[in-house]
Structure formats: structure tokens, C-alpha cells
Amino acid sequence: MSEIEEDWALVRERLQKPDLDLKEIDLVNKGLTVADAKYLATVLHNCPNLEKLDLSRNQIGATGAQAIAAVLQQGRCPSLVSLSLYYNQIGDTGAQAIAAALQHDHCPNLKRLTLGDNEIGATGAQ
């Protein structure tokens, strides 16, 4: 098992515990896939105090972004201040899902959203 896989395995194990007091999840360049993003989405409800979620430089794609967006839309991350999905190939579909989730003020503290280098065209930027 590589160091990256070990890091992700440890994070997965820790996220399964209820009512975590995590303020930050930094999974930059860990080789995360759509399946990993979907898993993360299922356990984010255990992190009500999460302020920073950084999934930059992975391969979660549009479907992974949609899974994260669903969590945001459900109001599961009310303390979130910073969300980075930089360089994840989320495209227009993923960008639209994130934008729709944030329209309803379920993340009232969000100050920074990073979606650069995601193949987002004019449709996704609307």
C-alpha cells in the first residue's frame, strides 16, 4: 500500500467516528476518485464543525462533485469557510451542482470557493 493509500485509509477510519471535531480535511493530491468522493459525502455529516475541505488535485469528476454538492445542499457543513475542488475534472455539470447547492445559503460562512482548472465552460460558469 502506498503512502497516499495509507493516508486515505487512516482518514476513512477516523471519519467513521460520530461527532468529530474536525476543523479541516486536507486531501490534496491523494488520487481520490468518484467512489472516494461519494464515500466522503456519506460521512461529512460527522463533521459539523468542518471549516475547510480541500480536495484539490484529485479525480473526483462531475459525479464526485455532485455527491459533495448534495451534502452542502442538505446543510451538513454549516461551518464551512473554504471549499477547494481545484483540478478535479468536474466540468460544467459538477460546477453547476456546486453552484446550485450554494444558492440556498446552507453554507452561510463560505468565503472561499476554488474551482479552477476543472474544464468548466460557459455553461458551468453561469
Side-chain angles (χ1 to χ4, degrees):
M1 186 180 295
S2 73
E3 182 178 330
I4 289 173
E5 290 170 329
E6 286 177 17
D7 288 348
W8 178 228
L10 290 172
V11 169
R12 284 178 68 118
E13 182 179 318
R14 184 161 184 211
L15 287 172
Q16 291 176 7
K17 297 176 182 172
D19 299 323
L20 290 173
D21 193 27
L22 287 178
K23 301 279 187 206
E24 181 175 334
I25 296 176
D26 184 340
L27 293 170
V28 175
N29 202 24
K30 298 295 184 191
L32 302 183
T33 64
V34 172
D36 296 322
K38 286 181 176 182
Y39 171 79
L40 186 59
T42 67
V43 295
L44 280 178
H45 68 276
N46 290 339
C47 308
N49 299 318
L50 186 66
E51 295 176 1
K52 180 180 178 185
L53 178 60
D54 194 343
L55 303 179
S56 299
R57 296 190 176 276
N58 287 290
Q59 297 96 36
I60 68 168
T63 304
Q66 289 170 319
I68 299 298
V71 172
L72 301 177
Q73 197 158 9
Q74 294 167 5
R76 302 277 177 123
C77 299
S79 300
L80 196 64
V81 174
S82 176
L83 172 63
S84 181
L85 300 178
Y86 173 83
Y87 198 77
N88 265 289
Q89 303 163 346
I90 69 170
D92 291 340
T93 303
Q96 288 173 324
I98 295 294
L102 296 176
Q103 285 180 358
H104 302 288
D105 205 28
H106 293 298
C107 296
N109 298 307
L110 190 69
K111 304 279 188 261
R112 182 176 184 167
L113 175 63
T114 307
L115 299 178
D117 282 342
N118 271 301
E119 303 169 8
I120 299 169
T123 301
Q126 291 179 351

